[in-house]
């Protein structure tokens, strides 16, 4: 039943922490393991005070926010444009999931009524009129994994257990429905990494208070058909020290765990919560259409060479960098 090759023995501290949530069970579903590995108060990856985001080799990954004020200026213009005829000084800009001591608008002039950050552990306290922004917040939520068992003609859920002090994958019958109808049949071993935590987190954010304004998030995701039919190995991955791999059980608390979002499900969440003008675009396309004045200004001021601001803009827009892989999901609630 075990699905992976045992790894080197994990520390006693990690084992004690895991056993405290395992209790008398043989295994726990992968989303519970991911939640523990990322957010446990004692060993959680996101509870650590070390710097996770940035280009240094000791950081685990970098994203658009790593490019500093250039990114912030583009977001200010895009957010203002999404408001349409409504004045930005009537809205609070709220950033969800900002890293400690950082923020997309930190140190920047902006036209909004205020700038508010909601970090790990903070409640979703949103003003009545808000621009709610996040960057790779939704893909930092727990996810479930399923594999199709051809012999049993059913989907099995991936759980995590222990064997000789090693973490192992275990296939179990799902105790909870996935929340979406999977294909009745698939190739043997076809894996679906289902972003359940992103869906529940977005629903919580949208329903916490009756706020109106703009929702804007940047992240990695796929359409439902691709997830269910074109990714037989799944989309889950781990990041540590600028390297990506697929050993999700290695060094819990010391690596980021994530999977691709399902855009169809997130759009449905927005629709059911009364949002309109729901749009999904590549980061490149979104910025060109909504931040054109700032892009033009950067080119005009830096026409003599590739200085840091021009280099940052290239990374944000170029398809070979963040421009194509990252996508922007935006919507408005009046």
């Amino acid at each position: 039943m075990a699905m992976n090759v045992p790894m080197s023995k994990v520390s006693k501290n990690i084992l004690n922490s895991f056993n405290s949530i395992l209790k008398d069970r043989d295994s726990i579903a992968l989303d519970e393991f991911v939640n523990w590995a990322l957010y446990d108060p004692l060993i959680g990856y996101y509870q650590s005070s070390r710097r996770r985001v940035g280009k240094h080799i000791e950081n685990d990954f970098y994203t658009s926010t790593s490019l500093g004020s250039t990114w912030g200026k583009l977001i200010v213009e895009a957010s203002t444009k999404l408001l349409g005829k409504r004045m930005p000084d009537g809205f609070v800009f709220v950033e969800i999931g900002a890293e400690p001591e950082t923020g997309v608008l930190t140190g920047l002039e902006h036209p909004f009524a205020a700038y508010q950050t909601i970090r790990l552990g903070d409640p979703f306290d949103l003003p009545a009129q808000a621009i709610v922004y996040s960057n790779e917040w939704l893909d930092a939520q727990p996810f479930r994994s399923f594999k199709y068992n051809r012999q049993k003609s059913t989907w099995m859920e991936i759980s995590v257990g222990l064997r000789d002090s090693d973490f192992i994958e275990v296939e179990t019958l799902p105790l909870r429905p996935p929340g979406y109808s999977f294909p009745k049949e698939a190739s043997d071993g076809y894996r679906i990494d289902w972003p359940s935590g992103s869906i529940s987190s977005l629903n919580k954010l949208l329903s916490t208070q009756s706020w109106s304004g703009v929702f804007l998030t940047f992240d990695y995701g796929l359409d439902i058909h691709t997830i269910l039919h074109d990714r037989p190995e799944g989309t889950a991955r781990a990041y540590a020290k600028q390297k990506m791999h697929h050993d999700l059980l290695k060094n819990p608390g010391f690596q980021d765990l994530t999977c691709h979002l399902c855009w169809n499900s997130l759009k449905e969440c927005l629709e059911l919560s009364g949002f309109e003008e729901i749009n999904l675009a590549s980061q490149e396309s979104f910025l060109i259409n909504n931040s054109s004045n700032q892009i033009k200004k950067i080119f005009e001021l830096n026409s003599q060479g590739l200085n840091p601001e021009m280099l940052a803009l290239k990374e944000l827009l170029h398809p070979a960098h963040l421009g194509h892989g990252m996508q922007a999901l935006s919507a408005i609630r009046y």
Side-chain angles (χ1 to χ4, degrees):
M1 187 173 288
M3 298 303 294
N4 71 329
V5 177
M7 304 170 298
S8 59
K9 299 295 186 290
V10 296
S11 71
K12 185 176 181 180
N13 179 50
I14 297 294
L15 284 177
N16 288 339
S17 178
F18 182 76
N19 278 314
S20 70
I21 64 168
L22 185 64
K23 297 180 179 177
D24 59 350
R25 296 176 290 178
D26 294 328
S27 62
I28 59 174
L30 184 64
D31 61 336
E32 190 175 353
F33 175 86
V34 172
N35 187 68
W36 166 73
L38 295 183
Y39 296 109
D40 182 81
L42 296 179
I43 67 97
Y45 174 78
Y46 281 108
Q47 298 286 359
S48 170
S49 59
R50 71 184 183 89
R51 192 173 181 85
R52 292 172 286 269
V53 183
K55 287 193 172 184
H56 192 276
I57 192 172
E58 291 300 317
N59 301 139
D60 296 322
F61 58 92
Y62 82 97
T63 185
S64 301
T65 54
S66 307
L67 298 170
S69 61
T70 303
W71 175 248
K73 293 173 185 176
L74 297 171
I75 293 302
V76 168
E77 181 181 350
S79 301
T80 303
K81 184 172 182 179
L82 289 174
L83 286 173
K85 296 181 179 180
R86 292 173 292 177
M87 298 302 294
D89 59 4
F91 292 79
V92 176
F93 188 99
V94 181
E95 181 176 4
I96 307 292
E99 283 285 302
E101 301 179 3
T102 65
V104 67
L105 300 190
T106 300
L108 292 181
E109 292 185 5
H110 61 78
F112 311 117
Y115 171 42
Q116 174 185 341
T117 57
I118 297 179
R119 305 184 194 274
L120 178 62
D122 295 340
F124 287 153
D125 186 14
L126 301 178
Q129 295 195 115
I131 298 167
V132 179
Y133 157 90
S134 68
N135 186 79
E136 295 197 62
W137 165 62
L138 288 174
D139 77 353
Q141 306 306 316
F143 54 91
R144 300 172 69 186
S145 289
F146 302 85
K147 278 187 177 180
Y148 188 75
N149 187 310
R150 194 77 170 177
Q151 184 177 2
K152 297 181 179 180
S153 300
T154 189
W155 290 94
M156 303 292 285
E157 183 155 15
I158 300 299
S159 296
V160 180
L162 284 171
R163 184 177 66 193
D164 299 328
S165 299
D166 292 312
F167 291 112
I168 59 171
E169 283 191 358
V170 178
E171 290 186 6
T172 62
L173 288 171
L175 296 178
R176 298 167 286 155
Y180 200 95
S181 296
F182 291 171
K184 292 183 178 180
E185 293 186 355
S187 58
D188 191 45
Y190 191 105
R191 180 163 180 152
I192 295 175
D193 296 309
W194 187 245
S196 51
S198 67
I199 299 167
S200 59
S201 293
L202 180 57
N203 277 327
K204 180 180 178 182
L205 175 70
L206 299 178
S207 62
T208 298
Q209 293 160 305
S210 182
W211 58 276
S212 63
V214 170
F215 173 79
L216 173 61
T217 192
F218 294 82
D219 225 314
Y220 293 96
L222 297 167
D223 64 86
I224 185 63
H225 184 274
T226 300
I227 292 174
L228 298 185
H229 300 284
D230 298 335
R231 291 295 181 96
E233 296 181 355
T235 66
R237 56 209 185 276
Y239 289 93
K241 295 187 177 181
Q242 304 294 349
K243 294 182 179 180
M244 183 192 78
H245 62 88
H246 298 282
D247 191 347
L248 305 182
L249 309 187
K250 181 180 180 181
N251 296 329
F254 294 93
Q255 62 178 6
D256 189 22
L257 303 175
T258 183
C259 80
H260 275 64
L261 306 180
C262 177
W263 293 125
N264 302 71
S265 296
L266 299 180
K267 287 180 180 179
E268 183 177 327
C269 294
L270 291 165
E271 290 173 358
L272 293 175
S273 294
F275 279 80
E276 305 173 25
E277 301 175 40
I278 301 170
N279 183 62
L280 177 67
S282 69
Q283 179 169 293
E284 174 192 20
S285 176
F286 176 84
L287 293 177
I288 288 174
N289 288 322
N290 294 285
S291 306
S292 57
N293 291 331
Q294 188 60 45
I295 292 172
K296 181 180 178 181
K297 184 178 179 180
I298 291 173
F299 272 100
E300 290 176 345
L301 293 176
N302 303 287
S303 59
Q304 301 304 313
L306 290 176
N307 64 19
E309 193 165 40
M310 280 290 288
L311 290 171
L313 185 63
K314 180 181 178 181
E315 288 204 48
L316 292 168
L317 296 179
H318 199 285
H321 297 288
L322 295 166
H324 183 71
M326 185 76 78
Q327 292 173 279
L329 177 64
S330 61
I332 301 171
R333 184 160 60 182
Y334 294 99

